[in-house]
Amino acid sequence: MNTETSDTPTSPATPFEWIGGEARVRALVDRFYDLMDIEPGYRELREVHGNTLDDARDKLYWFLCGWLGGPPHYEDRFGHPRLRMRHMPFKIGILERDQWLACMDQAMGETAIPQDLRARLNESFFKTADWMRNQ
Ligand code: HEM
């Protein structure tokens, strides 16, 4: 009989498991960039990005899998993320930071991320996004 409880669905070992694995991370990232593309409230954030969001979609997906405690797809391809350095070419002030966070929160809501996980991720995203500011 299996008496282990630490890895049951009710107590996932990592946020990656909690979210439900790769397909759910991909759905979140796809919704995030779809919203960035269509919502007028994220216009300045969209303008920081290039014509196509295809590269950004893949890279954020690969990155988040590892960042959430899942497979290190981003590091496998590109090595250490050095996120702050990689964001230096883009203007990131309070406005862009807040639009990024609002867009991600909306995407989490629309892809049915559990409320308590969503709250925890919002805190972590805030720290990372604020650290990326260069204006
Ligand atoms: C604070 C506001 C942010 C802005 C305005 C922003 C903007 C951008 C832009 C313009 C790119 C380049 C996309 C491309 O290659 O076409 C990018 C790449 C990326 N961003 Fe952000 N970002 C922000 C926050 C974040 C946060 C909070 C994370 C992680 C939690 C993140 C993760 C990434 C990753 C992994 C890449 C790919 C880096 C690479 O390999 O070149 N970004 N971001």
Side-chain angles (χ1 to χ4, degrees):
M1 188 175 72
N2 180 13
T3 54
E4 276 287 326
T5 55
S6 63
D7 59 356
T8 62
T10 51
S11 65
T14 61
F16 179 78
E17 282 182 24
W18 196 353
I19 237 175
E22 290 182 343
R24 302 303 304 272
V25 178
R26 185 73 212 196
L28 171 64
V29 168
D30 279 338
R31 192 63 195 145
F32 173 76
Y33 285 112
D34 287 347
L35 288 168
M36 195 191 290
D37 231 3
I38 60 177
E39 289 278 349
Y42 307 136
R43 194 181 66 232
E44 289 83 359
L45 174 64
R46 178 64 187 86
E47 283 169 359
V48 174
H49 291 73
N51 289 341
T52 157
L53 297 172
D54 295 348
D55 280 0
R57 275 177 204 267
D58 284 342
K59 287 177 170 176
L60 186 60
Y61 163 62
W62 289 326
F63 174 80
L64 285 184
C65 282
W67 190 76
L68 292 166
H73 297 311
Y74 185 93
E75 283 84 343
D76 286 350
R77 288 169 174 81
F78 308 111
H80 192 286
R82 290 197 289 263
L83 274 196
R84 190 161 198 286
M85 190 271 283
R86 289 193 210 261
H87 283 78
M88 277 304 187
F90 315 113
K91 173 185 174 286
I92 304 184
I94 301 270
L95 182 71
E96 291 78 12
R97 177 200 70 187
D98 287 350
Q99 288 187 2
W100 196 103
L101 293 167
C103 188
M104 181 55 79
D105 183 56
Q106 187 176 346
M108 287 195 284
E110 293 184 12
T111 54
I113 303 293
Q115 266 317 319
D116 36 4
L117 176 59
R118 183 176 168 187
R120 278 172 48 168
L121 291 180
N122 271 328
E123 281 180 29
S124 302
F125 280 136
F126 178 85
K127 287 182 194 142
T128 307
D130 191 55
W131 173 67
M132 230 81 87
R133 271 196 303 125
N134 50 33
Q135 311 268 319

